[in-house]
Each structure stands twice: as structure tokens, then as C-alpha cells.
Amino acid sequence: MGGALLSDFATEILIPVCAVVGIVFSLVQWFLVSRVKLTPERHGPSSSPGNKNGYGDFLIEEEEGINDHNVVVKCAEIQSAISEGATSFLFTEYQYVGVFMVAFAILIFLFLGSVEGFSTKSQPCTYAKEKMCKPALATAVFSTVSFLLGALTSVLSGFLGMKIATYANARTTLEARKGVGKAFITAFRSGAVMGFLLAASGLLVLYIAINLFKIYYGDDWEGLFEAITGYGLGGSSMALFGRVGGGIYTKAADVGADLVGKVERNIPEDDPRNPAVIADNVGDNVGDIAGMGSDLFGSYAESSCAALVVASISSFGVNHEFTAMLYPLLISSMGILVCLLTTLFATDFFEIKAVKEIEPALKKQLIISTVLMTIGIAIVSWIALPSSFTIFNFGSQKDVKNWQLFLCVGVGLWAGLIIGFVTEYYTSNAYSPVQDVADSCRTGAATNVIFGLALGYKSVIIPIFAIAVSIFVSFSFAAMYGIAVAALGMLSTIATGLAIDAYGPISDNAGGIAEMAGMSHRIRERTDALDAAGNTTAAIGKGFAIGSAALVSLALFGAFVSRAAISTVDVLTPKVFIGLLVGAMLPYWFSAMTMKSVGKAALKMVEEVRRQFNTIPGILEGHSKPDYATCVKISTDASIKEMIPPGALVMLTPLIVGTFFGVETLSGVLAGSLVSGVQIAISASNTGGAWDNAKKYIEAGASEHARTLGPKGSDPHKAAVIGDTIGDPLKDTSGPSLNILIKLMAVESLVFAPFFATHGGLLFKIF
């Protein structure tokens, strides 16, 4: 067993340096976006022919006389309204979530501290009884600290992402006056700011936490990395509230605005006469950006924690090989460098000149980052791992070679790409599945709904096979550690994935601002093209999130089973089987709650929008301004109130099951929720995405077939709008929140495993 080529000292420098590079790169991108001014100014001719990104180009619209100061002033006004709405919502949300955070932190401390009756004496280690480890009280304290760290990082990454998006949306609109390429670069750069900030800060905070905890734990790595799992729990619990709260907010506004505005009053989307229009645009930022940011941060934190826990009881941890131990963090560091290079392909190496180049440019980002990352993983595996080592495998140690671990990470990475492209095939209106859904609108909304549901169920097949193959390969090579690093492989290009994902809502907002500011039809066409590409890439992002969630929760499940000292999970025992049944039901219960919440909030919104149209004279003629603030308040109040029950369901289930029914039933619940949750999440996201793009396909009228279904306002178009409205809560509330449900229950069970193993199963002990 040779040691790693990379010294421990080099590792200690390399990881923080890569994280800092990521943060600096995101600040540079932010600076470039900020050069687009939101104050009216005359653009002089280009200062130099080499001025590639055209900060001084003549505006295309100058000859049309539309470049008057009012447009820029209006854009700035709308932008500040959206930004204020989003900020005030997030602050309100974080106040409620903050209370929960403190309460749950106390709970973690009490539960874990009580394992040894709050004693401060050292105790035998869990896996090596002959050694002495730090007391359970230390695990309780440090788990609580890492939980709070994870929660704060998650909240911060969501909040900063939202700030960047609301900063960039109007700038994208103004750049669209110069051409589609300029607007694309602005939107993409803003997405990159969020992607790199999140990936780098997540890595940096985790690295600092490990080093600080090491001061106390010393050689007790088993206890150290058990305490670090709180980081993943904190990240995901905040993501759950961000996703559910933001999802309810955005969809209540969206459904309300669409049903009354488009279907009843026949006014276009994002029309300033629609009272719910500001709430709708705020929703894109709090749901798709802040929620998505926290969600992917949670996945990243958990897959790192799952890998570290398993590694700490393998030869890496037993022999104190620091470099090999931090292999998961080195992969993430390499990921930041790879994504940095990939981003330059979109913003600097190639320039987009036509609308049809947008989607291929975004897809190239995924392919380039995956290919480069494969090389990156090979390098990291070669220099950071010993040539052979052992991995903990349910009580025994399994011999593994470094090239096998490379294959585990690689298979996860490529499975992610496959899931991404399959999702794109089923949700992009360039392919037949969505065109078939659009065609079914000829005979009304009912056939549209039937076709859409069928598409969603069918789109589950290939992603599940991709996940199954990657699980089989990685488990065969390196047991549960293999699955954890496969999940990390899928998330290794998170900076690029997030940049592409955040690009969508930014373009969507830019289109809304163009419509509200009364810009010309040509500009709206450009922002629509950016938005349509963004819709598909958002679906790809959701595919990644769900695929990685499946692998992450399985890895966490494995770590939990090891920690709770369960030798096998036997489905035939009644304890486990009832757990399986209940676990498989939970995603349905959770989806029912979130869907109904959106429905209730949308009902209030529809009533309010109708009330304003009927009682405020001159709204439809554009003489008087609608009351936007009331609609924003309806969305805010509804989402804050409605996010608590689904959140409580997810957070309390593992605690109740573990305490009263014991670890075996809990292992059944985790397996059941994983198996059914992944299927529902994929089908819900893809059904919603397909309905949305079927509607866009009819509206754009780009092909002969689409023109026979249109124009806007025709019966097929109205049927498509109804399908899109049904799909909204599926693709933006229930679907994306389910992947947090399956991860969160698994990571929570792992954190509380010492308590459940010692005191759990009260009911079975009584009888």
C-alpha cells in the first residue's frame, strides 16, 4: 500500500486556494455585469475595435427612436420593485426559519448528549472498541455547531444568489437592445456569479470546519467526521424551507396571473396591467434561484459528509491519511477549476450571434465541463489516493484500487449528463414528445393533461436505469463510499450547473421587465428566446438535482445503517416492511400538502386580481396603476404559513420513527421514501416542464405545425395555458422539493443515529 503522491501540506494549501479562486472569479464576473449601467446615458461609438463585449456599442434600437431615457428609468424602477419584494420575502422567511433553526439545534444537542447521559468521560469507539474516543457530549456540541454552520451557509448562498439575479435582470433587458449575444452573456455571467460563490463557499466553510474540529478531536477522526455530518443536515433543512416556501410563493403568483390575465382577460404574459405581475417576477427569484441554490448546496454538503463518514472508518481514517481522507474535497476543488475554464467558453472564447445558438451554447457547457472533469478526476485519483486501500463495507473492510474509485466518480459524473440530456429530450420543444403534447391541445385541455402526464411517467425510465447502473458499478467497486463519491461526481460540476440553472429565471425576469417597460416587439422576441432556452436548462438542472439526491440519500442510508450497527436490512421482517410501506407513502403525502398549498394561495390570488380588474377603473386601459403590493403580500403570507406543515412532516418523521419504532423500521422508511420519491420527483418535474414548453411552442409559432395551433388566444393556446398552469406547482414546488425530502430524512437519521441506536424503539421495548 503506497502512500498518496500529494503531501498533506500540499492538500492543506490546495483546497482553500481553489475555493478562493472560485470566489474571486465570481466577483470578477459580478464586476463585468455591473458595467452595464442602469442610468440613462448616451452610448458613444465603440472605443476600440477589440471591444468585444461591446460596453460602448451603438444601440440597435436607436434608429427606431425607442432608446429614450424613459425606458431605462422604467427598467430601473421595475428592477428595484422586484428586488425589494424578493428581499422582504426572504427576510420574513428567514425570521421564521431562524426560530426553527435554534429550536432544532437545541434538539440535536439534547438527543445526542443524552446518548451517554451527558457524561464528559471518554468512551470506547463505535467501530474499534479497543480504542478510546471523545465523549458523546462532544459529538453533541460539535454536531450542533456544524448544523448551524451548514444552515447559515445555505441561507447565505440562497440570499446572495437572489441578490445577484435581481441585480442582473434589468441589465439583461437593456443589453438585449444591442443584440441577443450581449444579453446572453450578461445573464450567463450573473448565473456564474451564483454558481461559483456557492460551490466555493460551501467547500471553504466545510474545509475550515474540519480543520477547527481537528484541534479538539486530534486523532479521533471517527468522532470528528461524525460531528461534521451536521453540516449537511443544516444545509438541507434550510433548503427544504427555501424550496417549499419559495415554490409556493412563485406558483401562487404565476397561476393567479396566468388564469385571470391570459385566460380570462386575454392580456399578454408580464403585462404591467396585471396586478400579480410583480409578485410573479419576485417568485422566480425566491423559488428558482434562492431555493435552487440552497438545494444544490445541501446536496453538495451531504454527499461530502456521507463520503467523509465512510472514509473515516476505512483505511484512510484508521491510518490517518489526511490527503486520501479529503479526496471528496479535492474533487470539488478540481470541479471549481474545471467549471472556471468551461465558463470562459460561453462568455469569452465563442460569441453568440443568433437566437438558434443559445441552447447549443448552454448544452456545450454541460458536455465540456463533463469531459474536462473526467480528466480532472483521473488526476486527483492518481495523486491523492494510495494505489490500494480498504473501504468499510458493513462490518468488514473491502480492498479497493485507486482506479476503481476513479470509475465510481466518473460513472456518477456521466450518469448526471445522461439524466440531463434525457430530461432535455422530454422537456424541450425542439423534440417530438413536447410537440405531441402541443398537438394534443387541438382537442382541448383534457387531452393535453393526459398526454402531459403520460410523458412525465415515461421520462422516468432512462434516468432510473442510469441511476441504477451507477449504483451497481460504484457499490461493486467501493461499497457505500463508491456511491457517495458517485454522487459527488454528479455534483462536481455544480458551478456550471448552477450557472446554467440561474440563467433561466434571470432571462425570464428580463423578458418580464421588457414587457412592463413597453419595449419593442423585437426586444421581447430576444428575451423570449433566452427564456425558452432557460426553461429547458432549468429542467436539466432539476434532473441533476434529483439524480444526485438519489445517490446522496443512498450513501447517507449506508452510513446510517453502519452507524446504527444494523448488519442487514431484511425486507421480510414486519418491522422493516411496514417502514417500507410508510416511507413510500411519504412523498405522496408531502406532494399533496405542497400542491394544495399552491392551490389555496392561487385561489386567493385569483380573487384579488379579479377584484382589482372589477373595482379599480381604468386598469385595463392603462390609465390607472394596479395595486401590486397586495398581491405580493398574499404570496408572502401564504407561503410563510404553508411551508411549515410540509417541513414539519419531513423533519419529524425520522425522529418519531427512530424513537418509537427503532432503527430497523427507520431503515425501511428511508428505503421506501427514496424509491418512490425519485420516481415522483422526475415525473412531476418533466410533466410540468413539458406543459410549459408546449405552451411556448404554440406562442412562438416558429414552425408550420406550431402556426396551425396558434396564435395566442386561440382555443389550442388556451388549452396549453391550462396545462402549463396545472404543471406549475408540479415542476416548481412538489417535484424539486421531493429531492430534499429524500436527502433530508437520510441525513437526519444519520446525525441522530447514535441516539436511535441507544434509546430508539421504545414501543417494541415496552411490548
Side-chain angles (χ1 to χ4, degrees):
M1 292 197 15
L5 294 176
L6 195 67
S7 70
D8 290 357
F9 179 67
T11 306
E12 284 180 32
I13 293 172
L14 204 63
I15 295 172
V17 164
C18 288
V20 171
V21 166
I23 292 170
V24 169
F25 182 72
S26 73
L27 294 176
V28 170
Q29 297 297 315
W30 178 77
F31 168 72
L32 290 171
V33 171
S34 70
R35 287 175 62 180
V36 180
K37 293 287 175 271
L38 267 187
T39 47
E41 56 175 317
R42 296 296 297 169
H43 282 258
S46 280
S47 49
S48 71
N51 191 355
K52 186 171 173 193
N53 291 333
Y55 295 106
D57 291 1
F58 270 124
L59 297 181
I60 294 170
E61 260 60 30
E62 281 195 346
E63 69 274 15
E64 293 181 17
I66 298 168
N67 178 32
D68 72 289
H69 291 214
N70 299 349
V71 170
V72 185
V73 172
K74 253 189 190 164
C75 283
E77 276 172 12
I78 298 162
Q79 184 215 21
S80 70
I82 294 172
S83 184
E84 274 166 32
T87 309
S88 75
F89 167 72
L90 285 180
F91 271 124
T92 316
E93 182 183 61
Y94 293 154
Q95 280 165 3
Y96 283 86
V97 170
V99 173
F100 155 80
M101 214 160 83
V102 173
F104 205 75
I106 294 167
L107 209 70
I108 292 176
F109 177 72
L110 294 175
F111 269 61
L112 294 181
S114 68
V115 172
E116 297 283 325
F118 295 99
S119 91
T120 50
K121 291 193 190 74
S122 292
Q123 58 190 34
C125 298
T126 313
Y127 300 99
K129 297 287 183 204
E130 68 282 356
K131 287 187 190 160
M132 294 304 278
C133 283
K134 299 289 186 211
L137 192 64
T139 307
V141 173
F142 283 102
S143 291
T144 310
V145 171
S146 58
F147 167 76
L148 291 171
L149 264 180
L152 287 171
T153 314
S154 179
V155 162
L156 200 66
S157 49
F159 184 74
L160 287 175
M162 183 280 298
K163 274 293 187 207
I164 295 298
T166 52
Y167 182 80
N169 51 17
R171 288 174 164 80
T172 305
T173 311
L174 292 174
E175 284 291 271
R177 298 181 303 169
K178 298 180 189 168
V180 76
K182 303 281 186 285
F184 171 80
I185 286 178
T186 303
F188 190 78
R189 279 206 166 118
S190 321
V193 176
M194 176 182 176
F196 283 92
L197 258 183
L198 191 141
S201 56
L203 174 66
L204 195 60
V205 174
L206 180 58
Y207 176 75
I208 292 170
I210 290 172
N211 277 307
L212 290 179
F213 286 16
K214 222 168 108 188
I215 297 169
Y216 170 79
Y217 276 100
D219 283 347
D220 175 13
W221 284 15
E222 183 190 297
L224 164 70
F225 290 104
E226 191 172 297
I228 285 285
T229 48
Y231 185 68
L233 176 62
S236 251
S237 49
M238 294 306 105
L240 176 74
F241 291 107
R243 246 320 183 192
V244 175
I248 293 169
Y249 185 108
T250 174
K251 291 303 117 181
D254 199 356
V255 171
D258 280 1
L259 281 181
V260 186
K262 282 200 220 162
V263 178
E264 291 178 12
R265 299 284 173 162
N266 235 340
I267 57 178
E269 192 162 1
D270 295 319
D271 192 296
R273 295 171 293 177
N274 194 329
V277 69
I278 293 283
D280 186 6
N281 280 295
V282 169
D284 290 336
N285 293 298
V286 295
D288 295 349
I289 297 238
M292 185 71 183
S294 296
D295 177 5
L296 279 176
F297 165 75
S299 277
Y300 163 73
E302 282 159 339
S303 54
S304 304
C305 293
L308 291 168
V309 166
V310 180
S312 69
I313 48 177
S314 304
S315 65
F316 299 158
V318 177
N319 304 335
H320 295 102
E321 296 169 3
F322 190 66
T323 300
M325 188 67 219
L326 292 189
Y327 178 67
L329 275 73
L330 286 165
I331 287 179
S332 307
S333 309
M334 178 58 87
I336 291 176
L337 301 181
V338 163
C339 292
L340 196 151
L341 199 61
T342 311
T343 304
L344 297 177
F345 276 95
T347 55
D348 295 81
F349 299 159
F350 298 108
E351 208 170 346
I352 286 183
K353 296 192 169 61
V355 166
K356 63 176 187 295
E357 293 172 16
I358 300 171
E359 215 167 294
L362 291 169
K363 279 198 286 195
K364 273 186 206 139
Q365 285 287 298
L366 289 174
I367 297 168
I368 294 167
S369 61
T370 304
V371 171
L372 291 177
M373 193 63 209
T374 309
I375 301 163
I377 296 165
I379 295 168
V380 171
S381 307
W382 179 55
I383 62 170
L385 296 172
S387 53
S388 71
F389 42 90
T390 61
I391 293 288
F392 184 84
N393 180 22
F394 299 121
S396 61
Q397 294 280 354
K398 179 182 171 76
D399 286 315
V400 182
K401 303 266 186 290
N402 58 1
W403 60 267
Q404 290 174 311
L405 217 48
F406 158 68
L407 288 177
C408 293
V409 188
V411 79
L413 178 68
W414 284 90
L417 189 70
I418 291 167
I419 293 172
F421 279 124
V422 171
T423 311
E424 191 225 5
Y425 173 72
Y426 280 106
T427 55
S428 164
N429 53 28
Y431 304 103
S432 60
V434 171
Q435 291 172 10
D436 290 347
V437 172
D439 193 60
S440 69
C441 295
R442 288 176 195 281
T443 45
T447 40
N448 180 22
V449 170
I450 294 167
F451 269 72
L453 287 172
L455 176 144
Y457 298 145
K458 196 176 169 192
S459 70
V460 173
I461 301 168
I462 300 173
I464 291 296
F465 276 120
I467 292 170
V469 168
S470 49
I471 287 171
F472 182 77
V473 170
S474 45
F475 191 86
S476 308
F477 281 147
M480 276 300 170
Y481 187 68
I483 293 173
V485 291
L488 256 177
M490 205 178 273
L491 291 165
S492 59
T493 52
I494 183 172
T496 296
L498 261 171
I500 292 173
D501 221 55
Y503 155 87
I506 292 170
S507 308
D508 192 355
N509 260 209
I513 292 172
E515 182 75 50
M516 284 185 267
M519 290 179 148
S520 76
H521 179 62
R522 281 172 60 189
I523 293 179
R524 184 67 222 224
E525 270 179 1
R526 285 178 197 146
T527 54
D528 275 354
L530 291 170
D531 181 24
N535 251 357
T536 306
T537 52
I540 294 176
K542 288 181 189 118
F544 261 94
I546 296 163
S548 62
L551 292 175
V552 168
S553 58
L554 184 59
L556 290 164
F557 175 69
F560 161 72
V561 168
S562 306
R563 182 63 189 86
I566 306 170
S567 49
T568 51
V569 178
D570 184 358
V571 183
L572 295 175
T573 54
K575 274 187 197 175
V576 177
F577 194 78
I578 57 166
L580 265 178
L581 276 176
V582 172
M585 173 274 296
L586 284 173
Y588 290 92
W589 188 359
F590 179 82
S591 298
M593 283 175 153
T594 49
M595 295 284 285
K596 195 163 179 206
S597 301
V598 173
K600 273 167 35 187
L603 205 65
K604 284 186 194 143
M605 187 67 79
V606 168
E607 284 166 357
E608 172 59 25
V609 176
R610 278 182 187 153
R611 183 195 69 75
Q612 290 198 28
F613 276 140
N614 294 332
T615 58
I616 302 176
I619 281 193
L620 277 175
E621 294 75 37
H623 299 321
S624 53
K625 214 173 167 187
D627 176 8
Y628 299 127
T630 310
C631 291
V632 171
K633 189 175 181 333
I634 287 176
S635 259
T636 303
D637 294 350
S639 53
I640 297 291
K641 194 170 113 220
E642 300 284 352
M643 75 181 180
I644 295 165
L649 172 73
V650 178
M651 299 300 286
L652 295 177
T653 301
L655 291 179
I656 293 167
V657 173
T659 308
F660 293 107
F661 299 93
V663 284
E664 282 154 333
T665 309
L666 181 54
S667 64
V669 169
L670 293 179
S673 67
L674 166 62
V675 168
S676 85
V678 174
Q679 329 278 342
I680 305 173
I682 296 174
S683 69
S685 292
N686 290 351
T687 295
W691 275 327
D692 189 357
N693 274 342
K695 175 202 72 176
K696 288 227 165 58
Y697 174 73
I698 294 174
E699 286 176 353
S703 68
E704 195 53 51
H705 174 236
R707 284 193 284 278
T708 59
L709 298 166
K712 286 186 185 180
S714 65
D715 283 344
H717 177 247
K718 281 188 174 166
V721 170
I722 291 170
D724 173 35
T725 313
I726 300 169
D728 273 337
L730 284 171
K731 77 172 169 29
D732 289 324
T733 313
S734 298
S737 308
L738 279 172
N739 61 49
I740 304 179
L741 169 131
I742 54 182
K743 294 181 306 196
L744 187 52
M745 286 185 16
V747 74
E748 192 181 334
S749 307
L750 173 60
V751 170
F752 286 99
F755 175 82
F756 297 149
T758 319
H759 302 304
L762 293 178
L763 286 180
F764 294 128
K765 284 177 183 167
I766 295 166
F767 299 120

